[in-house]
Amino acid sequence: MNELARQSLNASAKAARSIDWSWLTPYKTWLPGVGPRDVRADLLAALTGAIVVLPQGVAFATIAGMPPEYGLYASMIPAIIAAWFGSSRHLVSGPTTAASVVLFSTLSTMAVPGTPDYVALALTLTFMVGLLELMLGFARLGALVNFISHSVVVGFTAGAAVLIAAKQVKHFFGIEMDSSGHLHEIMFHFGRHVLELNPSATLVAAATLALGIACKVWVPKIPYMIVALMGGSLLALGLNHLFGPETTGIATVGALPATLPPLSSPSLTFEHIRQLAPSALAVTLFALTEAVSIGRALGARGGYRIDGNQEFIGQGLSNLAGSFFSGYVATGSFNRSGVNYEAGARTPLAAIFAAFMLMAIVLLVAPYAAFLPKAAMAGILFLVAWGLIDLKEIGHILHSSKRETAVLGVTFFSAVFLELEFAIFAGVLLSLVLYLERTSKPRIVTMAPDPRLPNHAFGEDPETPQCPQLRFLRIDGSVFFGSVAHVEQYFDRIRAEHPEQKHLAVFANGINFVDLQGGVALRNEMTRRIDAGGGVYLIHVKEGLWNALEGCGCLDATGGRNVFQAKTAAIRGIYQKLDKNVCATCTARIFRECNA
């Protein structure tokens, strides 16, 4: 019995050692390289991020139908967990406009917003979303991020930047208007209220924006966002002192509750889980797409790559923790991540520092947020939005590829005029459609020995003399269900136009794989030409292609005898099968065997 127990323990120890636990220590890839300069830059970026999140957190919670303080709570513990266990160096997690809207639309039909029942449902949904995200990460489905092309990322970033600026227009000009909805709706509301703009608020916002631009251009080493925000706040204080707050009408963030996130618990009853399951899946897919898209966009700007699987795990742990610390669904925040990047953050420590600073600010300086003008915040976010639009890369895409330009345009305009999350799906879908359209038409060219080339190498010049009985083709692309129709149409055309060329040799080094339908198409062509007294021959067949053809029984027609690994051997073998009566009167004589 003891021996059995010992063997069982040894087996368990081996199994534990074989499990990959690296997902618990992603910080090992960046933490050892952190130096004093990195910490200093991260601290400055964190201070900016902590200040920016104050009004945003309250606004997001209001949009989500949650009590205002929950927007701040969702920016604390979840942000720390996501930064520590994620793979992006600049992504900051927390509440977002889109996630808040999705949460409200999901839960408002089940409970009255702002009530304890509503909060309990939000916590439960957050827990379920975190669990699903974690499961997707462990299932190694982070590769889904690879389907988001670079053009999608650039278009999505630019579109989101335009929306960030548009939603701050009312604060920039001090107008009371509805800033929800899409760009055209916001601009329509702005046009109706444009005569109501507040000169004092506009002056504060414009001064903040100008000061930020000046610092960024002429004194790039100083944290221009903090300087601009302080300058705008001091200007607002001065205007209020001279003319009085009632006259200036400069709106401020207002006093915030000075509390840390209290412990909470989701309601994991069967009824709640059943009610929220469909919504949890939809919110999960949206939240992951948003977080990974933002992370990838900032990674491209910062010169590094993110690990999709690790990002899924980090987001999952973030929401699981958030459900127990009074946070609702958190995902990558474009506003805060953009601020983090533009403020000079270098490592995930910036997001972690920002969360701790936010806690300190909420405890110590929350009442003073009443002096922070919303117009100054709008000026800062205008700077952030402009920094996120990569004009150089957009110009490069516009001049280099019509396909990528279409993807960029669809993603950008979908983000601006439709839904932000739909923009990603639309861009990815169009990228896949264009890719499939391209791969469904592999390049097929006629080859022949060219006497003008060294050693009579095969060329693609259509004027080169052809053998009257044998045609050489090269297929550049895979032969699968999507491209079979194109390949079969080409075979039918050359068979109809050149019936005397009964033999067909295919250079297969450009064919990476065939599926069952593609193999059947090749086999059918072999059968037709054999029945006509000719044959189909494959040259330079890769091992993977051979295995695929053999596995689907596509070599049964010839038993593999018509497959050659060398061009010389193929020509010698095929020449023996040609009609020598035709060879006797042929004037092309393009092969050495012809002259012999």
Side-chain angles (χ1 to χ4, degrees):
M1 191 68 179
N2 290 336
E3 182 61 28
L4 288 174
R6 190 179 300 108
Q7 291 178 358
S8 177
L9 287 172
N10 290 336
S12 300
K14 290 181 180 179
R17 286 194 296 269
S18 65
I19 297 175
D20 184 10
W21 295 99
S22 61
W23 63 272
L24 284 171
T25 57
Y27 54 85
K28 288 184 178 180
T29 60
W30 56 267
L31 189 59
V34 175
R37 290 186 178 180
D38 299 316
V39 173
R40 186 162 52 250
D42 288 341
L43 283 170
L44 290 174
L47 180 58
T48 307
I51 295 173
V52 166
V53 78
L54 284 173
Q56 289 183 349
V58 174
F60 293 154
T62 304
I63 293 171
M66 299 286 285
E69 62 270 19
Y70 278 77
L72 299 176
Y73 298 156
S75 305
M76 296 177 183
I77 302 299
I80 295 172
I81 300 295
W84 189 252
F85 288 100
S87 65
S88 173
R89 299 190 178 189
H90 296 100
L91 184 68
V92 181
S93 288
T96 65
T97 304
S100 299
V101 171
V102 171
L103 185 78
F104 178 80
S105 62
T106 300
L107 300 182
S108 58
T109 59
M110 303 179 187
V112 178
T115 62
D117 289 340
Y118 186 91
V119 172
L121 287 174
L123 294 174
T124 304
L125 181 65
T126 302
F127 179 87
M128 295 173 66
V129 168
L131 189 62
L132 287 172
E133 289 175 333
L134 201 60
M135 291 169 61
L136 290 174
F138 285 145
R140 313 300 293 173
L141 292 179
L144 293 173
V145 68
N146 295 330
F147 291 99
I148 304 174
S149 71
H150 179 64
S151 299
V152 172
V153 172
V154 174
F156 175 72
T157 306
V162 171
L163 284 181
I164 289 173
K167 290 181 181 295
Q168 295 300 317
V169 164
K170 73 172 186 177
H171 297 308
F172 195 96
F173 294 100
I175 297 174
E176 289 296 328
M177 56 172 266
D178 183 11
S179 64
S180 61
H182 307 117
L183 178 64
H184 59 283
E185 296 170 334
I186 297 173
M187 291 297 101
F188 175 75
H189 291 309
F190 176 68
R192 291 178 57 191
H193 297 275
V194 67
L195 297 179
E196 303 170 12
L197 65 84
N198 183 331
S200 300
T202 305
L203 177 60
V204 169
T208 304
L209 179 62
L211 185 57
I213 294 174
C215 289
K216 189 174 182 180
V217 172
W218 291 310
V219 198
K221 292 185 178 181
I222 68 172
Y224 66 93
M225 287 189 182
I226 296 178
V227 173
L229 195 58
M230 291 178 62
S233 301
L234 290 174
L235 177 59
L237 284 173
L239 291 174
N240 286 335
H241 179 72
L242 289 174
F243 305 104
E246 297 80 9
T247 304
T248 60
I250 299 174
T252 60
V253 171
L256 299 174
T259 56
L260 291 179
L263 293 176
S264 60
S265 59
S267 176
L268 299 177
T269 63
F270 176 78
E271 183 62 22
H272 282 167
I273 293 174
R274 184 188 64 80
Q275 281 183 317
L276 295 172
S279 301
L281 180 59
V283 174
T284 297
L285 295 177
F286 157 72
L288 285 178
T289 304
E290 188 174 22
V292 173
S293 299
I294 296 168
R296 216 184 139 185
L298 294 176
R301 300 289 296 276
Y304 63 90
R305 296 177 183 173
I306 69 168
D307 182 344
N309 295 318
Q310 190 63 46
E311 205 59 55
F312 280 23
I313 292 172
Q315 292 295 317
L317 292 174
S318 166
N319 280 305
L320 284 176
S323 67
F324 292 101
F325 285 92
S326 300
Y328 67 91
V329 175
T331 182
S333 167
F334 228 119
N335 283 358
R336 294 180 64 196
S337 300
V339 168
N340 193 43
Y341 178 83
E342 288 295 319
R346 298 185 181 183
T347 74
L349 288 177
I352 297 172
F353 291 157
F356 282 113
M357 287 181 182
L358 178 61
M359 295 180 190
I361 290 173
V362 168
L363 287 176
L364 302 175
V365 235
Y368 297 100
F371 299 103
L372 188 63
K374 292 182 179 179
M377 291 297 309
I380 290 295
L381 290 175
F382 268 44
L383 280 173
V384 170
W386 178 255
L388 290 174
I389 301 176
D390 194 339
L391 294 176
K392 182 179 179 181
E393 190 58 31
I394 290 174
H396 178 253
I397 293 173
L398 293 177
H399 287 92
S400 62
S401 171
K402 292 182 179 179
R403 294 173 181 267
E404 295 302 321
T405 298
V407 172
L408 172 71
V410 166
T411 308
F412 174 78
F413 289 110
S414 297
V416 170
F417 294 109
L418 300 175
E419 302 297 333
L420 197 60
E421 61 273 22
F422 175 77
I424 302 169
F425 297 137
V428 171
L429 182 61
L430 181 59
S431 297
L432 293 175
V433 168
L434 292 176
Y435 170 76
L436 290 174
E437 191 272 336
R438 185 165 56 242
T439 56
S440 67
K441 297 178 180 179
R443 182 170 178 262
I444 306 177
V445 294
T446 295
M447 308 285 290
D450 192 336
R452 296 166 297 180
L453 297 177
N455 299 321
H456 284 212
F458 276 73
E460 303 176 13
D461 189 347
E463 302 299 324
T464 305
Q466 295 267 339
C467 173
Q469 301 184 67
L470 171 62
R471 174 172 288 260
F472 285 89
L473 294 180
R474 190 182 72 223
I475 300 177
D476 294 330
S478 299
V479 184
F480 68 109
F481 68 92
S483 63
V484 161
H486 176 73
V487 174
E488 287 181 329
Q489 289 172 5
Y490 197 93
F491 285 165
D492 293 341
R493 182 164 61 84
I494 61 173
R495 205 184 317 109
E497 293 176 354
H498 306 280
E500 72 284 357
Q501 290 181 319
K502 300 178 181 179
H503 299 270
L504 177 66
V506 178
F507 288 106
N509 51 314
I511 303 176
N512 291 319
F513 78 95
V514 296
D515 63 358
L516 179 60
Q517 195 170 343
V520 170
L522 292 176
R523 184 180 64 187
N524 290 342
E525 185 65 18
M526 291 177 185
T527 303
R528 291 191 189 96
R529 288 187 174 270
I530 289 174
D531 292 342
V536 174
Y537 314 91
L538 301 178
I539 307 172
H540 298 316
V541 176
K542 299 178 181 178
E543 182 179 357
L545 176 60
W546 173 275
N547 293 336
L549 290 172
E550 194 173 40
C552 67
C554 301
L555 297 179
D556 294 346
T558 64
R561 294 187 303 276
N562 287 4
V563 178
F564 302 91
Q565 292 305 109
K567 179 178 61 179
T568 304
I571 295 173
R572 188 181 300 117
I574 299 171
Y575 180 79
Q576 303 303 321
K577 302 179 181 182
L578 300 181
D579 187 343
K580 298 304 182 289
N581 293 324
V582 177
C583 291
T585 59
C586 175
T587 59
R589 301 195 174 277
I590 61 176
F591 306 123
R592 293 190 180 94
E593 287 76 4
C594 299
N595 297 321

